[in-house]
């Protein structure tokens, strides 16, 4: 059965609901973040907001504090889920290196020998807003990264407009989820301020209604004290992130670019002015994902259409026999001359031939004659109108065994002299 894209994914992401939700490899840290939001909000609703509703009954706003806390908490959780459960802007991997950029280069190995191989330039230049920008080649994804793209070592993916990998969200922050990340951080900061303010208000109401001191009021509602301390600490974290990312949005930078170019006087080619930068990030439409994780993986070798004629292989005529070389016959049947004579359709030969006598006595001219006689096809000779014979001077009924032991006349005359 064919696999889907998310089942054959080469990155470190984790998928849920059949590839509809995509998380980073550290998705378990998202549980901690959820608890850090849900638990304080639940404590606030039970021990603070429930008592404050009685203080504002005259203004018909008794339940507004409780409802506002619940709705705002749900809003923060939804932003967190959108940030961590969608494609942050993953650039699909290429199946092979770019051939148009490949070139052969020579190099020297450790032994000093010169070698040549396929090399790909590590850097390529492109234009952004009329200025030259250098992009790098990614060996893992086998592509040139688009401008502002970087490879995340945790997710093992190239991310468009890569900002950073957030462990609290359990996902990379890139082009497609940066807006929701900023909204999540800023909304969390507002929620911290709201919880801190309502908890402090409840302490003040206890002091006014029961004439308690500050210490007595804190002892009366320890939950308010815990929430105030927790919100104050969390506000330093999420509030600081909100201010930092507001600065990045105003200058059209990413966290990765800011830390990499710190101390350098580089011109930011992406800066279009503060107002345009905020509008580009917060008010533009989110680009669609480049990946369809639920699609089926396409096979590399597609079946050819039925209407396309395939190239037929040349047929070989089995009726034509190709004479084999003598050395192949010797290797295959071990020099058995009887088997050779049977293969060549010499029905007259019924005796075995000694291989050693053939090598010693018919080594030169005699062996070539036997070779000619044994490799010759009787049917081919009959088609040419000739009688099969071993030598023009011999009778037609001479068997090939006697022909092997015959010496040519020239050889005998020389030996007698």
């Amino acid at each position: 059965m064919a696999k889907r894209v998310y089942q054959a994914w080469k990155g470190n992401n984790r998928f849920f609901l059949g590839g509809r939700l995509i998380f980073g490899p550290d998705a378990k840290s998202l549980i901690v973040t959820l608890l850090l939001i849900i638990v304080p909000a639940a404590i606030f609703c039970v021990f603070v907001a429930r008592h404050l509703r009685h203080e504002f009954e005259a203004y018909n706003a008794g339940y507004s504090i409780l409802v506002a806390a619940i709705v705002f908490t749900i809003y923060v959780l939804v932003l967190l889920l959108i940030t961590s459960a969608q494609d942050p802007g993953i650039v699909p991997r290429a199946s092979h290196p770019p051939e148009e950029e490949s070139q052969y280069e020579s190099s020297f190995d450790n032994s000093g020998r010169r070698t040549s191989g396929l090399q790909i330039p590590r850097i390529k230049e492109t234009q952004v807003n009329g200025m030259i920008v250098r992009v790098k080649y990614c060996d893992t994804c086998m592509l040139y990264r688009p401008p502002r793209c970087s490879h995340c070592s945790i997710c093992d993916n190239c991310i468009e407009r890569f900002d950073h990998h957030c462990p609290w969200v359990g996902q990379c922050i890139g082009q497609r989820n940066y807006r929701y990340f900023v909204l999540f951080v800023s909304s969390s900061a507002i929620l911290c301020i709201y919880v801190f303010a309502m908890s402090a208000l409840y302490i003040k109401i206890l002091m006014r209604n029961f004439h308690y001191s500050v210490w007595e009021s804190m002892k009366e509602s320890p939950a308010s004290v815990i929430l105030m301390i927790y919100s104050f600490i969390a506000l330093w974290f999420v509030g600081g992130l909100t201010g930092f990312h507001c600065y990045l949005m105003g200058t059209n930078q990413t966290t990765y670019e800011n830390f990499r170019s710190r101390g350098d006087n580089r011109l930011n080619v992406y800066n279009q002015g503060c107002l345009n930068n905020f509008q580009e990030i917060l008010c533009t439409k989110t680009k669609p994902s480049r990946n369809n994780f639920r699609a089926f993986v396409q096979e590399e070798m597609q079946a050819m259409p039925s209407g396309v004629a395939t190239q037929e292989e040349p047929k070989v005529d089995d009726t034509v026999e190709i004479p084999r070389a003598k050395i192949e016959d010797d290797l295959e049947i071990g020099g058995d001359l009887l088997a050779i004579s049977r293969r060549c359709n010499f029905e007259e030969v019924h005796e075995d031939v000694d291989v050693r006598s053939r090598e010693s006595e018919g080594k030169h001219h005699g062996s070539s004659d036997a070779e000619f006689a044994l490799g010759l096809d009787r049917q081919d000779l009959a088609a040419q109108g000739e009688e099969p014979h071993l030598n023009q001077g011999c009778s037609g009924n001479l068997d090939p065994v006697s022909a092997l032991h015959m010496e040519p006349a020239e050889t005998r005359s020389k030996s007698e002299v």
Side-chain angles (χ1 to χ4, degrees), residues 5 20 23 181 220 228 230 248 275 312 325 346 350 357:
V5 173
R20 293 177 176 86
F23 295 88
F181 173 77
E220 183 68 22
M228 290 175 63
Y230 177 81
L248 293 178
L275 183 60
E312 298 182 356
F346 283 94
H350 300 288
S357 62

Side-chain angles (χ1 to χ4, degrees), residues 49-300:
R50 184 171 61 90
H51 298 289
L52 286 174
R53 64 181 180 175
H54 302 292
E55 299 297 331
F56 299 94
E57 288 181 354
Y59 303 98
N60 296 325
Y63 290 93
S64 61
I65 297 176
L66 180 61
V67 172
I70 295 175
V71 171
F72 211 76
T73 301
I74 295 175
Y75 173 70
V76 172
L77 294 177
V78 170
L79 289 175
L80 174 62
L81 182 63
I82 295 176
T83 304
S84 59
Q86 71 167 333
D87 178 10
I90 301 174
V91 180
R93 301 190 183 194
S95 58
H96 54 80
E99 298 179 356
E100 66 275 5
E101 302 292 340
S102 305
Q103 59 185 8
Y104 286 90
E105 294 183 359
S106 300
S107 60
F108 295 90
D109 55 11
N110 297 331
S111 60
R113 292 179 300 178
R114 186 174 183 179
T115 59
S116 60
L118 187 64
Q119 300 292 334
I120 299 177
R122 311 303 305 172
I123 296 176
K124 183 180 178 181
E125 292 184 349
T126 184
Q127 284 191 356
V128 176
N129 296 330
M131 301 186 67
I132 300 298
V133 176
R134 303 172 71 184
V135 295
K136 295 182 179 180
Y137 177 77
C138 180
D139 293 313
T140 304
C141 300
M142 292 186 293
L143 52 83
Y144 283 99
R145 303 168 187 165
R148 313 189 82 176
C149 175
S150 182
H151 191 90
C152 177
S153 59
I154 300 176
C155 295
D156 198 20
N157 295 314
C158 278
I159 309 297
E160 288 187 284
R161 202 185 184 277
F162 176 75
D163 191 87
H164 69 288
H165 184 92
C166 182
W168 298 101
V169 174
Q171 180 66 282
C172 284
I173 306 302
Q175 185 179 38
R176 300 190 69 250
N177 64 349
Y178 179 74
R179 174 190 308 171
Y180 303 102
F181 173 77
V182 174
L183 293 176
F184 162 71
V185 172
S186 58
S187 300
S188 300
I190 296 175
L191 181 60
C192 290
I193 295 174
Y194 178 79
V195 172
F196 182 88
M198 292 296 105
S199 300
L201 178 63
Y202 184 59
I203 294 293
K204 186 177 181 180
I205 291 175
L206 291 177
M207 293 174 61
R208 184 191 63 185
N209 293 343
F210 299 98
H211 304 286
Y212 288 156
S213 63
V214 176
W215 180 250
E216 291 175 344
S217 300
M218 294 172 62
K219 289 175 63 178
E220 183 68 22
S221 178
S224 299
V225 178
I226 295 175
L227 289 174
M228 290 175 63
I229 296 174
Y230 177 81
S231 301
F232 181 79
I233 296 174
L235 184 60
W236 279 98
F237 177 70
V238 294
L241 280 177
T242 302
F244 176 68
H245 282 282
C246 286
Y247 162 75
L248 293 178
M249 288 189 295
T251 56
N252 206 337
Q253 297 184 71
T254 64
T255 304
Y256 178 76
E257 292 171 349
N258 181 266
F259 279 87
R260 186 183 62 177
S261 61
R262 181 170 295 179
D264 298 340
N265 295 324
R266 296 181 181 178
L267 179 64
N268 186 4
V269 299
Y270 307 102
N271 190 358
Q272 302 176 5
C274 182
L275 183 60
N276 293 331
N277 293 337
F278 274 100
Q279 184 178 1
E280 177 185 350
I281 296 173
L282 299 178
C283 301
T284 56
K285 185 178 179 180
T286 303
K287 293 184 178 180
S289 175
R290 293 191 179 188
N291 304 277
N292 185 5
F293 300 107
R294 291 184 50 79
F296 290 99
V297 178
Q298 296 181 358
E299 299 292 339
E300 293 183 1

